[in-house]
């Protein structure tokens, strides 16, 4: 009996040691192509809203974090296969994704998506609409009568609208605002904003609830003391919805 | 001018330049490895031992039949998981939780490859190693088919004569067949080499940041909010640079392969070898 208890204690101890060892460095996976959320800066490092947010969350959760970039297409398979420990890449919380990964609470409120086109009168109902593969926007266009034109990254969605390859593009408004402002009139917002998704959250393996809970608590603490709202206003713009 | 000098030496551009080295290194390691895989496969496919022959033929047929992109998307993750599973079985024999938990693949911390807390360069090296292995397996199958055909193209009379001189099967293979087959294999192998050069953009699917990834990343329109060096859509210029790089590289390859062909043809019982002999006299 005694050895059994000892054995259990040893197992529990080794399990917690194993947890500490496996998470002595938390690897954060991101896309690095979605300003202002995440992008590669001039120095070749990950930068943007999520970089600052992720570093702050790691500090609050007392974890050492490391940034990894991964193609959007294979970002979920590489998470569940264990190549990194979390996704923090402007990923909206949707029921489909929740079947595969575990999300924290959202760190941005549900934010609107917008259409952009060369002129304000393009046909967004039946025209050719560009969106990034595997996003909530692509799923939305597939449900409307429009023809969906998919691209592997958001830059190419914007490029397709500017070049006229697509009549319009659909993406997160926060991403499109700087693109439209800097386009010098080549692109304008079309129609009304549409609310899609349940806000952006971090994604974890479903078998990794301890780590998810740590980040969830850190996000909660940033919501409570208002630092998250300050950060959203600074990086996503004053008009972006806050908590 | 000043602007360009600064722009072209940002940390991001340094990553771009380093990726050229990555691609060249990948080719330098992959080509001989794939050739070795192909040689082993061709040898196995014409072996007298039935099971070995089946393995060789199955490898060549299956890998050639699977689309590259499917192979690169799924096989690498599967390969990574296979390594981790084997290490898991050895290092964590007393692990009592299932390895497959829903969609997740969970092995004990000691079995992770590379270890979860190792630095990023080790992860990158490991990714690079997986890429080399995957490329070698895919191109090895094609090379195996080329070599298999080349081995059959060697005139049968040569082999029979060797046997008549009392050489064993092994001696016939190494001394007569292998030296003569290269001249038949080279056109097919040089094709493969050209395809391999151009297949390197698949690297990004494997998480290795290659030249095409950087060209797309650097060339995309940049707004002043996120960079000190804003510019419009310059992808065309970056891809033009890549085009020149690839064309120059294939040109150099062609010259080298041409010389190699001339050397291999020397003294061979082929029309090329005959032409060389006549030109010399």
């Amino acid at each position: 009996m005694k050895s059994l208890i000892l054995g259990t204690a040893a197992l529990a101890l080794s399990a917690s040691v194993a947890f500490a060892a496996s998470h002595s460095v938390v690897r954060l996976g991101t896309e690095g192509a979605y300003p202002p959320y995440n992008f590669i800066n001039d120095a070749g490092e990950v930068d943007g809203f999520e970089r600052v947010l992720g570093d702050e969350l790691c500090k609050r959760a007392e974890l050492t974090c490391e940034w990894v970039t991964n193609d959007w297409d294979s970002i979920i398979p590489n998470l569940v296969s264990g190549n990194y420990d979390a996704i923090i890449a402007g990923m909206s919380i949707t029921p489909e994704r929740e079947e595969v990964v575990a999300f924290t609470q959202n760190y941005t409120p549900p934010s609107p998506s917008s259409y952009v086109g060369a002129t304000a009168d393009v046909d967004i109902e039946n025209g050719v609409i560009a969106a990034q593969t595997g996003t909530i926007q692509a799923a939305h266009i597939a449900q409307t009568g429009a023809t969906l034109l998919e691209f592997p990254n958001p830059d190419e969605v914007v490029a397709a609208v500017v070049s006229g390859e697509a009549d319009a593009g659909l993406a997160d408004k926060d991403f499109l605002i700087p693109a439209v402002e800097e386009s010098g009139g080549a692109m304008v917002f079309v129609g009304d904003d549409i609310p899609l998704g349940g806000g952006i959250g971090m994604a974890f393996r479903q078998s990794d609830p301890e780590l998810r809970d740590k980040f969830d608590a850190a996000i909660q603490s940033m919501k409570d003391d208002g630092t998250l709202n300050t950060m959203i206003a600074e990086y996503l713009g004053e008009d972006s919805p806050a908590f | 001018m000043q602007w360009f000098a600064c722009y072209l030496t940002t940390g991001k551009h340094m990553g771009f330049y380093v990726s050229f080295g990555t691609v060249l290194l990948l080719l330098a390691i992959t080509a001989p490895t794939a050739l070795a895989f192909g040689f082993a496969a061709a040898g196995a496919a014409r072996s007298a031992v039935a099971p070995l022959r089946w393995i060789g033929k199955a490898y060549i047929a299956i890998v050639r039949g699977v689309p590259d992109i499917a192979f690169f998307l799924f096989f690498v993750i599967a390969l990574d998981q296979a390594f981790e599973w084997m290490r898991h079985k050895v290092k964590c024999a007393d692990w009592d939780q299932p390895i497959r938990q829903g969609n997740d693949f969970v092995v004990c911390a000691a079995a992770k490859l590379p270890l979860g807390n190792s630095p990023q360069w080790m992860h990158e090296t490991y990714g690079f190693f997986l890429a080399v292995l995957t490329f070698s397996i895919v191109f090895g199958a094609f090379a195996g088919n080329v070599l298999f055909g080349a081995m059959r193209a060697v005139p049968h009379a040569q082999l029979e004569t060797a046997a008549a001189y009392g050489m064993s099967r092994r001696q016939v293979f190494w001394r007569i067949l292998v030296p003569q087959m290269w001249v038949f294999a080279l056109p097919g192998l040089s094709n493969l080499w050209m395809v391999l050069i151009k297949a390197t953009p698949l690297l990004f699917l494997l998480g290795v940041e290659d030249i095409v990834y950087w060209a797309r990343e650097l060339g995309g329109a940049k707004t002043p909010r996120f960079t000190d060096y804003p510019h419009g859509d310059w992808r065309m210029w970056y891809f033009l640079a890549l085009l020149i790089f690839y064309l120059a590289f294939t040109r150099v390859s062609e010259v080298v392969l041409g010389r190699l062909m001339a050397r291999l043809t020397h003294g061979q019982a082929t029309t090329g070898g005959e032409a060389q002999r006549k030109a010399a006299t």
Side-chain angles (χ1 to χ4, degrees):
Chain A
M1 190 61 205
K2 196 178 169 191
S3 69
L4 193 70
I5 294 169
L6 266 179
T8 320
L11 200 69
L13 191 69
S14 67
S16 63
V17 169
F19 173 77
S22 68
H23 288 309
S24 64
V25 173
V26 176
R27 290 163 59 77
L28 302 175
T30 190
E31 187 193 10
Y34 204 52
Y37 291 97
N38 57 76
F39 61 95
I40 310 289
N41 65 12
D42 288 335
E45 286 164 355
V46 176
D47 204 340
F49 169 63
E50 282 166 337
R51 171 69 202 249
V52 181
L53 174 71
D55 285 347
E56 176 66 23
L57 291 175
C58 289
K59 208 170 87 190
R60 291 190 182 215
E62 293 172 351
L63 296 164
T64 317
C65 294
E66 190 163 41
W67 290 86
V68 187
T69 48
N70 197 93
D71 203 21
W72 177 256
D73 274 352
S74 56
I75 205 163
I76 288 181
N78 273 314
L79 172 74
V80 296
S81 151
N83 290 352
Y84 35 81
D85 303 306
I87 298 174
I88 169 164
M91 187 178 273
S92 294
I93 302 167
T94 64
E96 292 82 11
R97 288 180 183 143
E98 274 185 320
E99 285 172 16
V100 185
V101 293
F103 280 102
T104 57
Q105 56 178 307
N106 55 8
Y107 56 78
T108 66
S111 59
S113 298
S114 304
Y115 285 101
V116 285
T119 53
D121 57 354
V122 294
D123 184 5
I124 52 174
E125 315 235 301
N126 302 305
V128 178
I129 314 286
Q132 187 181 9
T133 311
T135 56
I136 47 176
Q137 288 86 14
H140 175 77
I141 298 167
Q143 286 166 3
T144 67
T147 308
L148 173 62
L149 191 59
E150 288 183 300
F151 290 93
N153 66 44
D155 273 351
E156 291 180 25
V157 173
V158 172
V161 174
V162 172
S163 72
E165 193 180 345
D167 296 331
L170 182 61
D172 283 327
K173 190 161 192 182
D174 290 331
F175 165 73
L176 289 172
I177 289 171
V180 169
E181 279 173 3
E182 306 299 336
S183 70
M187 261 191 334
V188 290
F189 283 109
V190 181
D192 296 328
D193 296 347
I194 24 177
L196 291 176
I200 295 171
M202 287 177 76
F204 293 85
R205 282 184 291 279
Q206 286 171 345
S207 58
D208 205 359
E210 298 95 338
L211 193 62
R212 193 198 76 91
D213 293 345
K214 280 189 181 183
F215 276 95
D216 201 55
I219 292 172
Q220 188 59 54
S221 84
M222 285 187 72
K223 278 183 179 172
D224 291 343
D225 65 14
T227 43
L228 187 56
N229 282 342
T230 324
M231 215 175 257
I232 289 175
E234 185 183 347
Y235 286 90
L236 306 183
E238 299 287 344
D239 303 334
S240 189
F243 290 100
Chain B
M1 208 52 228
Q2 180 81 43
W3 189 88
F4 265 103
C6 293
Y7 173 68
L8 291 175
T9 49
T10 55
K12 216 170 169 180
H13 273 85
M14 290 303 161
F16 181 50
Y17 305 141
V18 169
S19 66
F20 279 92
T22 311
V23 168
L24 292 179
L25 187 67
L26 176 96
L27 289 171
I29 301 176
T30 306
T33 319
L35 197 59
F37 270 66
F39 193 82
R46 64 191 305 287
S47 159
V49 187
L52 207 58
R53 195 165 62 231
W54 295 333
I55 292 173
K57 289 199 168 172
Y59 163 63
I60 291 176
I62 292 172
V63 176
R64 284 198 312 147
V66 177
D68 275 4
I69 191 130
F71 213 89
F72 283 97
L73 262 182
F74 299 111
F75 185 75
V76 180
I77 289 180
L79 198 65
D80 179 38
Q81 292 188 350
F83 287 145
E84 289 187 348
W85 183 81
M86 281 188 284
R87 278 167 60 92
H88 178 83
K89 286 286 167 198
V90 174
K91 296 202 167 192
C92 306
D94 55 352
W95 183 265
D96 54 356
Q97 292 168 28
I99 291 181
R100 288 241 163 250
Q101 299 180 13
N103 294 300
D104 300 359
F105 179 81
V106 184
V107 292
C108 63
K112 290 298 274 179
L113 251 185
L115 293 173
N117 52 7
S118 49
Q120 177 62 13
W121 69 265
M122 277 185 68
H123 284 272
E124 280 170 12
T125 311
Y126 177 69
F128 183 78
F129 160 76
L130 279 183
V132 166
L133 194 59
T134 314
F135 269 106
S136 299
I137 289 173
V138 173
F139 282 86
F142 286 95
N145 201 43
V146 169
L147 292 177
F148 183 70
M151 285 176 183
R152 291 171 52 145
V154 173
H156 209 63
Q158 295 272 346
L159 309 183
E160 283 174 1
T161 312
Y165 270 99
M167 287 190 184
S168 66
R169 281 185 66 95
R170 177 179 292 259
Q171 281 174 326
V172 172
F173 181 76
W174 285 110
R175 295 188 188 177
I176 308 297
L177 184 67
V178 172
Q180 291 196 54
M181 73 165 188
W182 292 113
V183 66
F184 299 106
L186 200 60
L189 290 181
S190 64
N191 257 345
L192 274 184
W193 167 251
M194 297 296 180
V195 176
L196 178 63
I197 291 175
K198 290 178 290 180
T200 48
L202 288 171
L203 274 177
F204 190 56
L205 287 178
L206 314 180
V208 180
E209 288 164 353
D210 81 308
I211 48 181
V212 176
Y213 161 77
W214 278 117
R216 199 160 64 177
E217 171 62 37
L218 288 164
K222 297 282 178 297
T223 57
R225 259 181 69 183
F226 307 119
T227 172
D228 295 336
Y229 306 96
H231 60 75
D233 193 344
W234 282 2
R235 279 179 300 174
M236 200 178 99
W237 302 109
Y238 279 94
F239 281 105
L240 200 64
L242 288 194
L243 180 79
I244 293 167
F245 168 73
Y246 277 120
L247 278 180
F249 198 44
T250 43
R251 180 71 200 136
V252 170
S253 306
E254 271 178 2
V255 171
V256 171
L257 288 167
R259 289 203 182 153
L260 194 62
M261 189 68 190
R263 167 164 299 192
L264 287 174
T265 313
H266 188 71
Q268 293 284 348
T270 59
T271 49
E274 186 65 13
Q276 263 188 359
R277 189 182 66 79
K278 281 190 178 149
T281 53

